[in-house]
C-alpha cells in the first residue's frame, strides 16, 4: 500500500517547553509535561502517498500548496524517518523509500487561532510516514525534529517530554516523549479553551524562545531550579489525581513562562487584556470557593486553556458567559455539550464580576483528554486522489 491517512491530536503543556539547547535537532532546555486533547474536537488529518510516477516531493497545507525544498524541518523529518525505516527493518528494502511523496494535511480548527497547530501537524505527518514505511517503535524523537512540542502529540493522556542527556548521537541523547497516564486515567477532568478575539500577529515560538535564550536571566533560573521540582510534583499530582496541586503548578508554570517572555529583551508579549481578565476571573472564583476549582494556562498567544472538574463546568461557563457576553450564538460553543444557565448572582456580587464589553471571546471549545494518533481505514478518508492531487 502506498497511501496512508492518519489523524493526530493537539496537546497543551502544563509544564512549558521554552528554549532549545540544540536548534537543529530541537533538543529542549528542560523537560515538559502536557495533556493530549481529544481528536473528536480538534485534530490534524494527513495523507501521505508515495509513487514512482511523482516527479518531486509536494505538500499541501490547509488547501494551499507550500514549498517543500526550502522547508528544513519538513525535510529533516522525512529524511530521519526514511533512515529509521532502513535501519529498523521496516520496509527497508522496499523501493518505496526511493519514490517521491505527496503530503496533504489539514486541521479541523483555525490555524490562526494559535492552537498548537504545528504540534498536531508534525505528529500526524511523522505518524503517517511511519505507517507508510512500516516503521515500528517510538517515533516521538522524529516528530520532535518537526516541532518540539509535536513529540508530545504522539501519545495520548498526559505525556512527559524528557530533555534527554548530552551525547553525540541521536540515540544517546534520549530526548523522547513518554506517556505518564492514558486518557482514561482522569475521566472527570475537562478542558475548556477560550479563543480570544485578537488580530495582532504574534512572534513565533521559535523566534521568541531563541530571544529568551539569548537574553533572559530568569529563564536560567527556571530551567535549573523551578522546572525539575515542578516536573516531579506534577507527575505525582497527575498520578494521584490531586487537582489542587495540579492546578497550582499549571498556573504557576504558565505565569513563569510569560514572565520569562517579559524578561526577554526586547520583551515578547503573548497575553493581552482579555487574557488578564480571564486570569482575574479564575483566581476570584477559586478564592470564592476557598480551593482550586479551575486552573489556566496560556501558550504563545492570548487564548486561555482551562482545566477543571466536570462538576464545576456549568457554574464556570455561566460565569464566563456573564463576564464575557457574546452576540452570535451560532458555533460559539464547540465540542462537547455545554449547559449554561444564568450566572449565580451570589458569586458575581461576592467576587465583583462585571460584564466586559461584548465579543471579546471568539468562541469556546469544550474537550477532554484523548488518545494518540491513529490511522484511518476508509478509501474516502484520503485527502489525495489516485493521481496524488488534493481531493
Ligand atoms: C509555548 O513546539 O511550537 O507552546 O520547537 O520551535 O517548533 P518549536 O516550538 P514549539 O513551541 C511550543 C512552545 C509552547 C510551550 C509548549 O508547548 O510546551
Amino acid at each position: 500500500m502506498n497511501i496512508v491517512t492518519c489523524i493526530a491530536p493537539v496537546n497543551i503543556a502544563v509544564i512549558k517547553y521554552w528554549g532549545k539547547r540544540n536548534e537543529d535537532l530541537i533538543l529542549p532546555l528542560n523537560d515538559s509535561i502536557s495533556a493530549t486533547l481529544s481528536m473528536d474536537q480538534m485534530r490534524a488529518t494527513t495523507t501521505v502517498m508515495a509513487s514512482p510516477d511523482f516527479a518531486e516531493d509536494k505538500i499541501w497545507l490547509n488547501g494551499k500548496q507550500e514549498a517543500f525544498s526550502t522547508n528544513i524541518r519538513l525535510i529533516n523529518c522525512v529524511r530521519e524517518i526514511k533512515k529509521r525505516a532502513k535501519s529498523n527493518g521496516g520496509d527497508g528494502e522496499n523501493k518505496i523509500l526511493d519514490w517521491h511523496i505527496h503530503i496533504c494535511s489539514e486541521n479541523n480548527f483555525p490555524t490562526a487561532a494559535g492552537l498548537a497547530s504545528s504540534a498536531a501537524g508534525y505528529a500526524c505527518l511523522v505518524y503517517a510516514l511511519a505507517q507508510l514505511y512500516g516503521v515500528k517503535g517510538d517515533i516521538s524523537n522524529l516528530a520532535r525534529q518537526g516541532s518540539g512540542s509535536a513529540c508530545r502529540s504522539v501519545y495520548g493522556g498526559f505525556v512527559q517530554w524528557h530533555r534527554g542527556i548530552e551525547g553525540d548521537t541521536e540515540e544517546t541523547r534520549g530526548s523522547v516523549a513518554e506517556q505518564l497516564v492514558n486518557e482514561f486515567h482522569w475521566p472527570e477532568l475537562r478542558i475548556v479553551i477560550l479563543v480570544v478575539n485578537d488580530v495582532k500577529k504574534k512572534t513565533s515560538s521559535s523566534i521568541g524562545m531563541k530571544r529568551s535564550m539569548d537574553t533572559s536571566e530568569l529563564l536560567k533560573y527556571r530551567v535549573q531550579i523551578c522546572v525539575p521540582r515542578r516536573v516531579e510534583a506534577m507527575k505525582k499530582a497527575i498520578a494521584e489525581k490531586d487537582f489542587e496541586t495540579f492546578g497550582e503548578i499549571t498556573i504557576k508554570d504558565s505565569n513563569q513562562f510569560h514572565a520569562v517572555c517579559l524578561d526577554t529583551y526586547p520583551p515578547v508579549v503573548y497575553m493581552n487584556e482579555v487574557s488578564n481578565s480571564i486570569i482575574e476571573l479564575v483566581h476570584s472564583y477559586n478564592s470564592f470557593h476557598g480551593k482550586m476549582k479551575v486552573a489556566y494556562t496560556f501558550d504563545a498567544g492570548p487564548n486561555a486553556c482551562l482545566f477543571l472538574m466536570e462538576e464545576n463546568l456549568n457554574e464556570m461557563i455561566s460565569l464566563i458567559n456573564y463576564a464575557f457576553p457574546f452576540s452570535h450564538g451560532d458555533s460559539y460553543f464547540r465540542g462537547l455539550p455545554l449547559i449554561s444557565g444564568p450566572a449565580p448572582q451570589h458569586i458575581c456580587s461576592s467576587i465583583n464580576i462585571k460584564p466586559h464589553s461584548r465579543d471579546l471571546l471568539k468562541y469556546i471549545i469544550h474537550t477532554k483528554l484523548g488518545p494518540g494518533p491513529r490511522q484511518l481505514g476508509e478509501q474516502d478518508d484520503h485527502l489525495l486522489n489516485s493521481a496524488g492531487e488534493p481531493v
Side-chain angles (χ1 to χ4, degrees):
M1 199 180 54
N2 63 356
I3 181 162
V4 169
T5 298
C6 297
I7 54 174
V10 166
N11 74 77
I12 302 283
V14 290
I15 304 269
K16 304 294 185 193
Y17 146 56
W18 198 249
K20 303 179 182 73
R21 60 184 206 274
N22 180 319
E23 295 233 356
D24 298 330
L25 289 166
I26 312 195
L27 294 171
L29 285 182
N30 58 268
D31 283 26
S32 53
I33 294 180
S34 60
T36 297
L37 308 190
S38 166
M39 292 185 283
D40 293 344
Q41 284 74 49
M42 294 159 77
R43 62 185 169 274
T45 306
T46 303
T47 297
V48 292
M49 185 175 181
S51 166
D53 302 330
F54 294 160
E56 55 178 337
D57 295 330
K58 285 186 181 173
I59 184 164
W60 292 265
L61 292 181
N62 295 313
K64 199 169 146 273
Q65 189 169 358
E66 306 270 339
F68 201 111
S69 59
T70 49
N71 189 333
I72 308 282
R73 289 176 171 208
L74 175 63
I75 291 169
N76 285 351
C77 279
V78 175
R79 186 195 58 235
E80 290 303 310
I81 200 149
K82 284 186 172 182
K83 215 194 270 176
R84 178 82 69 86
K86 282 182 185 139
S87 72
N88 82 356
D91 295 340
E93 299 308 311
N94 199 324
K95 52 190 176 323
I96 190 173
L97 287 167
D98 300 325
W99 297 345
H100 284 295
I101 50 172
H102 284 189
I103 301 166
C104 190
S105 186
E106 60 190 35
N107 299 322
N108 74 336
F109 53 94
T111 316
L115 294 167
S117 51
S118 67
Y122 272 108
C124 204
L125 169 69
V126 168
Y127 188 83
L129 287 172
Q131 311 311 306
L132 185 73
Y133 297 138
V135 168
K136 303 276 185 302
D138 175 70
I139 53 162
S140 66
N141 64 335
L142 302 171
R144 193 197 74 224
Q145 295 180 56
S147 179
S149 54
C151 74
R152 298 183 311 232
S153 275
V154 162
Y155 296 108
F158 277 100
V159 179
Q160 177 176 5
W161 173 14
H162 298 272
R163 78 185 288 283
I165 46 158
E166 312 303 336
D168 297 334
T169 65
E170 181 57 46
E171 282 66 35
T172 59
R173 287 186 184 102
S175 184
V176 292
E178 177 196 12
Q179 183 177 64
L180 295 173
V181 294
N182 69 21
E183 67 274 23
F184 306 111
H185 171 74
W186 205 348
E188 311 82 21
L189 186 68
R190 293 312 168 97
I191 298 153
V192 171
I193 299 171
L194 306 180
V195 179
V196 171
N197 252 322
D198 189 58
V199 285
K200 193 175 141 264
K201 193 170 164 4
K202 68 179 183 93
T203 311
S204 77
S205 309
S206 306
I207 291 173
M209 70 175 84
K210 170 95 175 64
R211 205 191 295 167
S212 297
M213 290 271 299
D214 292 342
T215 60
S216 172
E217 291 287 318
L218 179 56
L219 179 59
K220 298 192 181 86
Y221 180 76
R222 165 177 168 73
V223 166
Q224 278 164 21
I225 310 290
C226 305
V227 174
R229 285 182 194 155
R230 283 181 185 162
V231 165
E232 288 318 306
M234 180 58 97
K235 283 166 71 172
K236 187 161 176 282
I238 291 170
E240 292 171 358
K241 297 193 262 186
D242 166 5
F243 190 74
E244 194 80 33
T245 310
F246 170 84
E248 187 177 323
I249 302 174
T250 299
I251 289 177
K252 285 184 173 171
D253 202 71
S254 173
N255 289 340
Q256 189 179 63
F257 153 54
H258 290 278
V260 165
C261 291
L262 279 186
D263 187 47
T264 298
Y265 191 85
V268 192
V269 179
Y270 287 124
M271 293 194 299
N272 63 18
E273 275 308 306
V274 183
S275 318
N276 291 328
S277 304
I278 296 167
I279 289 179
E280 211 176 296
L281 175 64
V282 169
H283 283 290
S284 303
Y285 180 70
N286 287 342
S287 63
F288 174 82
H289 282 288
K291 65 192 280 211
M292 175 67 61
K293 290 273 185 180
V294 184
Y296 58 81
T297 187
F298 293 81
D299 277 343
N303 304 320
C305 178
L306 307 181
F307 289 89
L308 70 172
M309 291 293 118
E310 191 181 4
E311 61 187 15
N312 300 123
L313 191 65
N314 293 347
E315 189 173 77
M316 189 61 201
I317 292 295
S318 307
L319 289 175
I320 291 170
N321 291 343
Y322 180 74
F324 299 99
F326 55 95
S327 13
H328 46 90
D330 272 6
S331 72
Y332 184 77
F333 296 104
R334 304 184 184 190
L336 296 169
L338 281 170
I339 307 156
S340 127
Q345 281 311 314
H346 67 293
I347 304 187
C348 292
S349 53
S350 163
I351 61 180
N352 196 23
I353 302 178
K354 299 249 165 32
H356 293 275
S357 52
R358 295 187 93 74
D359 300 326
L360 296 181
L361 299 182
K362 214 183 278 174
Y363 54 88
I364 297 180
I365 308 171
H366 174 205
T367 185
K368 55 184 183 177
L369 294 180
R374 71 183 163 85
Q375 184 170 349
L376 301 181
E378 304 295 325
Q379 188 62 34
D380 314 346
D381 294 327
H382 297 316
L383 304 178
L384 294 168
N385 63 23
S386 55
E389 295 295 317
V391 289

